[in-house]
Amino acid sequence: MTDKQVVRRFEQIVGAGNVMAAEADRQAYAYDAAVLDSVVPALVVRPETMEQLGQVVALCNENGLPLTVRGSGTNLSGGTIPSSTRSVVVVTNGLARILEINTEDLYAVVEPGVITAKFAAAVAEKGLFYPPDPGSQAVSTLGGNVAENAGGLRGLKYGVTKDYVMGVEFFDVNGELVKSGSRTVKCATGFNLSDLMVGSEGLLGVFARIVLKLIPPPKASQAMTAVFDSVEKASETVSAIIADRIVPCTLEFLDNFTIRTVEDFRHAGLPVDAEALLLIEVDGHPAEVAEDSEKIQEICRKKGAVSVQAAANAEEKDLIWQARRDALPALARLKPTTVLEDATVPRSRIPDMVKKIKEISQTYNLDIGTFGHAGDGNLHPTILTDKRNHEEYARVEKAIDDIFEAALAMGGTLSGEHGIGLAKRKYMEKETSRGTILYSRMLKQTFDPKNILNPGKMIGE
């Protein structure tokens, strides 16, 4: 078909109002939250039903058009940047329905465009709990969460998105609907395609529906802050808490640079002279919460905390977590370009990794604020720069290389929750093996012979 014929066929499938071909519209879908070059797609298509979605995928494959699925564009590794100017971006905000919340069997069925926070709120209204809480939850979509295996503040105790996916329905490149998993607690039917699709970053299929596990909410919780005069003491405290067999639902870390920046942004009363701050929460049965809270405070003091304070009420608890969620937006105000990474190491190596990041900051004369999910080893070194300053940005790129080299040398991983996408594919073989790359490419070739599904991402092409 000619280009005009292809556009007309998309319009017949989803309606003319859901096909965006104007330059201004296409520009809006040329980038995501990653600091990478934008690529303007040929077309943006917005299906509103499962049937339309399947037909769109099939039409792209029939015409050899690269296809990138996009939720809210919060991806931090370039996973939703179009692969070429021939690409079709398929946006999922027209597929944003919560189809079922089952309070008896503890599951929900959703479309991929449902906003994470809205889903969590709807589940809470039914007296249930959906734990995954990525930092972008106010705008990120569940389809994107599954595609990237998103984590969040509660990952230490409750796990990440993969731990709550019971089943998926997705379209293959031919527009055939594939179903895997079920609404039951156990399912051993066929290949475990659901797990394969989690974290697949849009390379193997296009989500149509997702079945998510729900759990009862905790009966009680207690939030605490611990102030330290050295990063090392705070880092060692994290290891000590876990070593004592206590598993907080959240155990977060902020360094001095981040503390001062957040306080300037929010005026929440943070101790700006502290070298490090731990934000901790335990939840569960009231008696267990009280016991764990007391133990944690004792450990913090033994490890040299300057002060330890438990939130007296819900308002103080909200202030604690607002300060943590403010970390990225507060840092992002300082310079035009913010590079947020998610180097992850074994928890016992947190002190070493924090020290290494500080050394890298000094070596390359860069402002790096470090915060993150210290309890599961997932740190977010955040480099503040201006990409237009080519000399400085060259130093930034060297610093990123060093950060990942250090994480891998400590037995860590390239990504705890942001995915690989375009940004980290060059490092993949260093963490895995040549065999892993070749096997992944064979798998991709089998599922997607024409290589239309998000080409060039993760494993490289």
Side-chain angles (χ1 to χ4, degrees), residues 117-137:
K118 289 182 179 179
F119 174 66
V123 167
E125 287 179 3
K126 300 286 187 178
L128 294 172
F129 184 36
Y130 179 69
D133 60 337
S136 59
Q137 63 175 329

Side-chain angles (χ1 to χ4, degrees), residues 177-363:
L177 186 63
V178 181
K179 297 182 179 182
S180 180
S182 75
R183 292 157 171 77
T184 60
V185 175
K186 295 179 179 179
C187 177
T189 304
F191 289 118
N192 189 355
L193 300 179
S194 296
D195 278 6
L196 180 63
M197 293 300 293
V198 177
S200 61
E201 300 195 19
L203 274 70
L204 303 178
V206 178
F207 296 135
R209 289 181 177 174
I210 305 163
V211 183
L212 295 170
K213 179 176 71 174
L214 308 175
I215 64 175
K219 294 181 179 180
S221 64
Q222 177 66 65
M224 296 157 274
T225 57
V227 178
F228 294 87
D229 58 11
S230 80
V231 168
E232 290 73 23
K233 290 178 183 177
S235 301
E236 289 164 4
T237 301
V238 171
S239 299
I241 291 170
I242 303 302
D244 204 45
R245 305 297 188 266
I246 303 171
V247 183
C249 63
T250 310
L251 179 46
E252 299 290 303
F253 168 89
L254 280 71
D255 70 359
N256 176 261
F257 186 80
T258 306
I259 294 167
R260 289 185 287 107
T261 305
V262 170
E263 180 59 20
D264 183 60
F265 175 70
R266 178 66 61 177
H267 304 297
L270 298 183
V272 293
D273 57 342
E275 284 301 310
L277 186 65
L278 292 184
L279 310 178
I280 311 162
E281 183 172 339
V282 290
D283 67 4
H285 188 278
E288 181 185 22
V289 167
E291 181 179 349
D292 285 349
S293 174
E294 186 176 330
K295 285 182 178 179
I296 287 173
Q297 292 180 59
E298 182 180 349
I299 291 170
C300 290
R301 293 188 184 98
K302 283 183 177 179
K303 287 294 179 179
V306 174
S307 67
V308 186
Q309 184 174 350
N313 49 47
E315 183 178 354
E316 288 189 8
K317 174 183 171 180
D318 289 344
L319 279 174
I320 290 173
W321 296 120
Q322 186 60 55
R324 167 60 182 84
R325 294 192 184 279
D326 281 340
L328 179 56
L331 289 166
R333 294 166 65 238
L334 300 183
K335 286 194 176 181
T337 306
T338 305
V339 182
L340 176 69
E341 293 298 350
D342 73 328
T344 304
V345 295
R347 290 178 292 213
S348 62
R349 301 303 301 271
I350 283 282
D352 300 323
M353 192 64 201
V354 171
K355 181 180 179 182
K356 186 64 178 179
I357 292 169
K358 190 173 182 179
E359 290 174 0
I360 292 170
S361 172
Q362 294 168 346
T363 297

Side-chain angles (χ1 to χ4, degrees), residues 151-167:
L153 274 66
R154 290 191 285 256
L156 172 58
K157 179 175 181 178
Y158 290 103
V160 295
T161 300
K162 70 176 181 181
D163 300 303
Y164 296 87
V165 176
M166 297 173 66

Side-chain angles (χ1 to χ4, degrees), residues 20-31 38-45 66-68 70 80-91:
M20 291 161 266
E23 174 75 14
D25 290 331
R26 292 184 292 117
Q27 285 278 359
Y29 296 91
Y31 58 91
S38 60
V39 178
V40 181
L43 207 61
V44 180
V45 179
L67 181 158
T68 295
R70 179 188 175 103
T80 48
I81 295 177
S83 61
S84 77
T85 55
R86 294 185 62 250
S87 293
V88 174
V89 171
V90 178
V91 293

Side-chain angles (χ1 to χ4, degrees), residues 53-54 56-62 64-69 79 81-83 87-88 90 170-176 178 197 200-207 443-461:
L53 179 62
V56 166
V57 175
L59 185 60
C60 286
N61 190 50
E62 178 185 333
L65 297 173
L67 181 158
T68 295
V69 180
I81 295 177
S83 61
S87 293
V88 174
V90 178
F170 63 93
F171 288 105
D172 69 10
V173 289
N174 299 309
E176 291 287 341
V178 181
M197 293 300 293
S200 61
E201 300 195 19
L203 274 70
L204 303 178
V206 178
F207 296 135
L443 189 66
K444 168 73 165 165
Q445 175 66 23
T446 300
F447 279 99
D448 182 17
K450 294 183 181 179
N451 191 29
I452 69 155
L453 296 175
N454 219 11
K457 311 293 173 60
M458 189 158 61
I459 54 175
E461 250 59 62

Side-chain angles (χ1 to χ4, degrees), residues 103-124:
T103 58
E104 292 183 330
D105 294 319
L106 304 185
Y107 70 80
V109 183
V110 300
E111 292 183 323
V114 174
I115 300 297
T116 311
K118 289 182 179 179
F119 174 66
V123 167

